């Protein structure tokens, strides 16, 4: 997704903005640009490709200005090109804007503006914003932005500067992120916190349709009508090295190894030593939980896999029918929703538009919505009736890892809470699962400390051009996640199937030596998985099994085994996914892929 960085303060802004853009690279982009507000002119550079091209182009700028805007663009309207890169300027070249998101009514606005003589220089939807501001500049930039917002449809965040008002940036947002960093005699704006985290930990989170008027000495926030709005600054709980690699070769590897902490932090204060759960801060009353007749889980990608994994325990322990749906499909099935249907929306970023749309549709139908997210101040926290935060810390790698396992842990917490409130399961069973959940960080740590055999397996199979993943029950969700990890960071085609389905078609894919990953940790369905492994081996395919640590019998059956600490079957998916994350990582590194920024992918998908 696009990245916005703005600076106004007491230092030359160019290097600060460029380094801020560098810290937003993980969001995914295909072009970038910078505009500095010089005395009576704008100094603008734009470049296609990665930031190195922009940095080279900016060398010639050598601006000493203390006010400017930067942007990384992920093309939605108009191909990646210098003309389409932001910042965009008005006809007079005196106003500059950077936009994230989509202006849905841009075509009619463009026709209207062209009809009034405006000259467009790009194919983008974003450019209509600067020409609308141009038309309303009579009362100054802030008023012009407020007038412009009133004309826009869509979901966007943008910042604007003007040569006629030096030392000023005006920013606003509508269903896309924009935060203000509060420094000492300097201020920052960005799409995401990492852009300015090295300068300040204090930030102001803007709400939809807030208009932030930012000068070096501070920020004033109004609504679209110009009325004052109170947005106190808050301290983010991360320091700068959270946005750095901490000695690891990539963000993804760092985040894989942060999982014990991410899970432990997510459980902290919510699960006591006896396995008792306290989710009183979530915002769902016991009365509502008792009245529930159904639960829908909606999510995308890795978050969907977390929901699928947890859905088995949720239905089994809380005895509430659970339906899970990919968020982008949910809205088109015209779901039956009511006040007794809880919709759980899982989104680590809190900004995935498919999931946000599913949330709004649910609330409009009267269903209570619980958001499970990792980012405070995200749109999902605003669009939900209740919020359950994972506390995984900043996840920079595009491929989700620690947020996934933290999501599963949080969902199991919610499961135990719901089951207890509804009296749906024996107390001793809930206590047993709760105690096992408390131990999961140690189980994951134990595997990370000793992932025996993994590197050899990665070395042996890294050049294969297809992997099949098989699992049953909660292991099926683990397979989907393992298969997604491998395909999204190594570009190797993969398929994940419920193991019982293999004989209904996928078995035709097997050839001698085909690598088949089977998630076979101990649990009720293990005997069936042994049969599936034998079926695969009968076709001379190779089985890479994920199995419990003291299960030595499987060593005779499988070609290779990744042993993980034994734990309660409900918690096994959290531990079993870790070897699959590492296997995907090692294979991707062996094939020379950029695991932190895989091709075509963005960390947050804010378009439908
Ligand atoms: C997972 O590795 C991918 N980055 C992607 O599938 C991601 O999980 C999906 O886009 C959902 O993102 P969210 O959790 O922020 O909503």
């Amino acid at each position: 997704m696009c990245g916005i960085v703005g600076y106004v303060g007491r230092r030359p802004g160019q290097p600060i903005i460029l380094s801020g853009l560098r810290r937003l690279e993980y969001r995914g982009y295909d072009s970038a640009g910078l505009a500095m507000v010089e005395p009576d002119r704008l100094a603008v550079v734009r470049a296609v490709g990665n930031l190195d091209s922009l940095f080279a182009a900016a060398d010639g700028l050598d601006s000493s200005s203390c006010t400017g805007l930067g942007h990384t663009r992920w093309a939605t309207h108009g191909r990646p090109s210098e003309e389409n890169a932001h910042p965009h300027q008005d006809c007079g070249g005196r106003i500059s804007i950077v936009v994230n998101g989509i202006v849905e009514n841009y075509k009619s606005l463009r026709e209207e503006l062209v009809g009034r003589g405006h000259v467009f220089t790009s194919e983008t939807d974003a450019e209509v914003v600067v020409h609308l501001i141009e038309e309303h500049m009579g009362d100054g930039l802030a008023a012009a932005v407020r007038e412009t917002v009133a004309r826009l449809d869509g979901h966007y965040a943008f910042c604007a500067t003007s040569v006629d008002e030096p030392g000023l940036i005006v920013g606003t947002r509508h269903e896309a992120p924009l935060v203000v960093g509060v420094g000492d005699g300097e201020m920052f704006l960005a799409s995401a916190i990492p852009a300015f985290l090295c300068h300040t930990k204090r930030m102001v989170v803007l709400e939809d349709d807030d208009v932030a008027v930012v000068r070096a000495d501070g920020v004033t926030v109004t609504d679209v009508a110009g009325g004052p709005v109170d947005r106190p600054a808050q301290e983010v709980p991360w320091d700068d090295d959270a946005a750095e690699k901490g000695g690891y070769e990539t963000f993804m590897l760092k985040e894989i190894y942060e999982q014990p902490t991410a899970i432990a932090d997510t459980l902290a204060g919510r699960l006591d030593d006896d396995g008792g759960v306290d989710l009183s801060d979530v915002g769902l009353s016991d009365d509502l939980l008792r009245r529930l007749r159904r639960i829908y889980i909606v999510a995308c990608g890795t978050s969907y896999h977390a929901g699928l994994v947890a859905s088995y325990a949720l239905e089994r322990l809380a005895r509430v029918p659970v339906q899970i749906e990919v968020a982008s499909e949910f809205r088109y099935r015209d779901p039956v929703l009511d006040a007794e249907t809880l919709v759980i929306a899982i989104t680590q970023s809190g900004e995935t538009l498919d999931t946000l749309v599913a949330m709004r549709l649910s609330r409009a139908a009267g269903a209570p919505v619980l958001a499970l997210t990792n980012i405070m101040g995200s749109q999902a926290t605003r669009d939900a009736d209740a919020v359950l935060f994972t506390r995984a810390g900043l996840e920079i790698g595009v491929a989700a890892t620690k947020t996934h396992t933290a999501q599963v842990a949080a969902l199991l917490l919610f499961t135990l809470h719901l089951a207890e409130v509804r009296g749906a399961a024996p107390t001793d069973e809930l206590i047993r699962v709760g105690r096992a959940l408390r131990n999961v960080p140690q189980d994951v740590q134990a595997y990370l400390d000793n992932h025996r055999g993994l590197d050899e397996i990665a070395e042996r199979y890294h050049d294969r051009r297809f992997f099949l993943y098989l699992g049953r029950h909660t292991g099926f969700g683990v397979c989907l996640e393992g298969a997604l990890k491998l395909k999204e960071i190594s570009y190797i085609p993969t398929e994940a199937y419920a193991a019982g389905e293999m004989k209904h078609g996928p078995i035709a894919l097997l050839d001698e030596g085909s690598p088949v990953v089977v998630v076979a940790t101990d649990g009720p369905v293990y005997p069936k998985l042994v049969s599936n492994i034998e079926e695969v081996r009968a076709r001379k395919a190779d089985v890479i099994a994920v199995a419990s640590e003291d299960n030595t019998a499987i060593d005779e059956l499988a070609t290779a085994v990744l042993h993980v600490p034994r734990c309660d079957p409900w918690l096994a998916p959290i531990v079993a996914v870790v070897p699959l994350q590492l296997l995907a990582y090692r294979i991707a590194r062996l094939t020379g892929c950029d695991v932190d920024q895989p091709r075509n992918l963005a960390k947050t998908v804010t378009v439908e």
Side-chain angles (χ1 to χ4, degrees), residues 384-398:
D385 297 287
V387 182
L388 174 55
F389 283 106
T390 49
R391 300 174 189 143
L394 216 47
E395 185 173 73
I396 304 287
V398 167

Side-chain angles (χ1 to χ4, degrees), residues 300-303 346-349 352 398-400 484-485 488 605:
C300 303
T302 288
S303 295
I346 308 171
T347 168
Q348 78 82 18
S349 64
T352 297
V398 167
L484 175 62
K485 283 287 116 8
E488 68 175 332
V605 183

Side-chain angles (χ1 to χ4, degrees), residues 299-307 326-327 355 404 407 480-481 484-485:
C300 303
T302 288
S303 295
Y304 171 83
H305 299 152
V326 170
T355 307
H404 171 74
Q407 285 168 344
L480 285 168
E481 178 55 15
L484 175 62
K485 283 287 116 8

